[in-house]
Amino acid sequence: MCDLDGCDDQSHLPEIKVKPEDRRLFLKGLASLPLASVLAFPELSQAAAAKLDNVTIKLADGTEVSAAIALPKAEKAPTVLLIHEWWGLNDQIKAVAAELADMGYVALAVDLYGGKVGTDAPSAKALMSAVDGDKATETLVGWVDYLKNHKQSNGKVGTMGWCFGGGWSVNASIATPVDATIVYYGYVTQKADQLKSLKGPVLGHFGTQDKNINKEMVGGFETEMEKAGKKDSLTVNWYDANHAFANPTGARYDAEDAATAWKRTTEFLKANLS
């Protein structure tokens, strides 16, 4: 979860224009540009997002849910499930999926808002508040199963989420076994009896200036992980940054810390999913 202080309201930000040299580099391939550059420019994010295909599965009650998938060139590859911020499944998250596919992963960006995307803080909060927890859990479990059984999957799955999606990254890993869990400044209030079901390691990225997802909350999470016998499974990284520091489209973006967090993220995925 997030609130108006804990998430980054981007509605006041000016539109960022794409530099001609960056556009030319992008046309040579997404890998020619740093991920942060792609995410910062709306036109480049849209182009990256366009590389993804839409896929659907059905829940037990017959409800159809959708996600966007990016595929690598490899015949067999590790898989990553991406869970969006409180804004919803937008081009930014899809661009991250495209980047992971270029790195050799089957990357699936899920949609917990039924196709809706927040355009400002109040609309994002309303969408987030309307999420049914049981249905979201069933949806994520369904997508993890989808990835495990995908024809290009090596059978290993990692979850990754930001803000709203960060908390759900842990929830998904509690609900069904995965091989790695990544949390970017998400609510981590789960208790030891829940955390006992975690099977893989957990990597967390948090900002010291975050007023809500703060030292007290994360410290409590560390305590609960220890109670659950998972102390050695948790790695917590702190950055001198605010909430949403890894989002290049937001006012709180911290380029240096975001780059460090992404390096740690990709190393963690490689170590646990390859």
Side-chain angles (χ1 to χ4, degrees):
M1 296 180 64
C2 299
D3 58 30
L4 292 177
D5 294 320
C7 283
D8 197 9
D9 181 3
Q10 305 156 21
S11 59
H12 65 286
L13 297 177
E15 181 181 357
I16 303 173
K17 300 298 184 182
V18 183
K19 297 178 181 178
E21 58 268 30
D22 285 326
R23 183 183 290 105
R24 286 194 295 270
L25 281 173
F26 182 78
L27 292 175
K28 295 180 181 179
L30 186 60
S32 298
L33 277 174
L35 178 61
S37 297
V38 176
L39 298 182
F41 299 134
E43 183 176 330
L44 299 187
S45 289
Q46 289 167 11
K51 295 183 176 183
L52 277 65
D53 293 319
N54 188 67
V55 290
T56 61
I57 58 173
K58 286 188 177 180
L59 304 183
D61 64 358
T63 301
E64 193 172 82
V65 292
S66 65
I69 194 168
L71 299 174
K73 294 180 180 179
E75 292 185 5
K76 291 292 180 180
T79 70
V80 184
L81 182 148
L82 289 74
I83 311 171
H84 55 75
E85 297 178 317
W86 74 334
W87 302 106
L89 180 53
N90 55 21
D91 288 340
Q92 179 209 345
I93 302 301
K94 292 178 182 179
V96 177
E99 169 74 0
L100 286 169
D102 279 349
M103 295 174 64
Y105 296 91
V106 175
L108 184 86
V110 304
D111 182 0
L112 295 180
Y113 287 177
K116 298 178 181 178
V117 176
T119 56
D120 53 28
S123 62
K125 185 176 182 179
L127 287 169
M128 180 186 67
S129 299
V131 171
D132 180 283
D134 290 337
K135 183 176 180 180
T137 299
E138 184 185 359
T139 298
L140 294 173
V141 169
W143 283 123
V144 169
D145 185 63
Y146 172 90
L147 286 173
K148 287 181 178 179
N149 294 285
H150 193 277
K151 64 181 181 180
Q152 282 184 249
S153 173
N154 69 353
K156 292 191 175 183
V157 181
T159 66
M160 182 190 311
W162 299 260
C163 182
F164 162 81
W168 276 105
S169 180
V170 178
N171 291 341
S173 302
I174 288 172
T176 189
V178 300
D179 301 284
T181 303
I182 300 173
V183 182
Y184 274 85
Y185 34 79
Y187 268 65
V188 283
T189 56
Q190 298 85 356
K191 299 300 182 184
D193 60 340
Q194 299 171 291
L195 297 169
K196 287 179 180 179
S197 64
L198 286 174
K199 301 301 181 185
V202 179
L203 176 67
H205 302 297
F206 304 96
T208 58
Q209 300 172 33
D210 195 326
K211 296 179 181 178
N212 295 291
I213 302 167
N214 51 29
K215 289 276 188 179
E216 181 179 0
M217 178 188 290
V218 178
F221 181 66
E222 291 175 304
T223 298
E224 295 300 318
M225 283 286 284
E226 184 173 1
K227 289 180 182 178
K230 305 291 182 179
K231 179 180 179 181
D232 295 336
S233 298
L234 175 64
T235 300
V236 170
N237 296 303
W238 285 100
Y239 306 84
D240 185 16
N242 210 325
H243 189 83
F245 69 83
N247 185 345
T249 69
R252 298 170 180 172
Y253 175 58
D254 185 309
E256 182 176 354
D257 286 330
T260 300
W262 184 245
K263 183 175 184 293
R264 288 169 172 167
T265 290
T266 55
E267 290 174 348
F268 180 77
L269 290 173
K270 183 178 180 180
N272 292 289
L273 301 185
S274 298

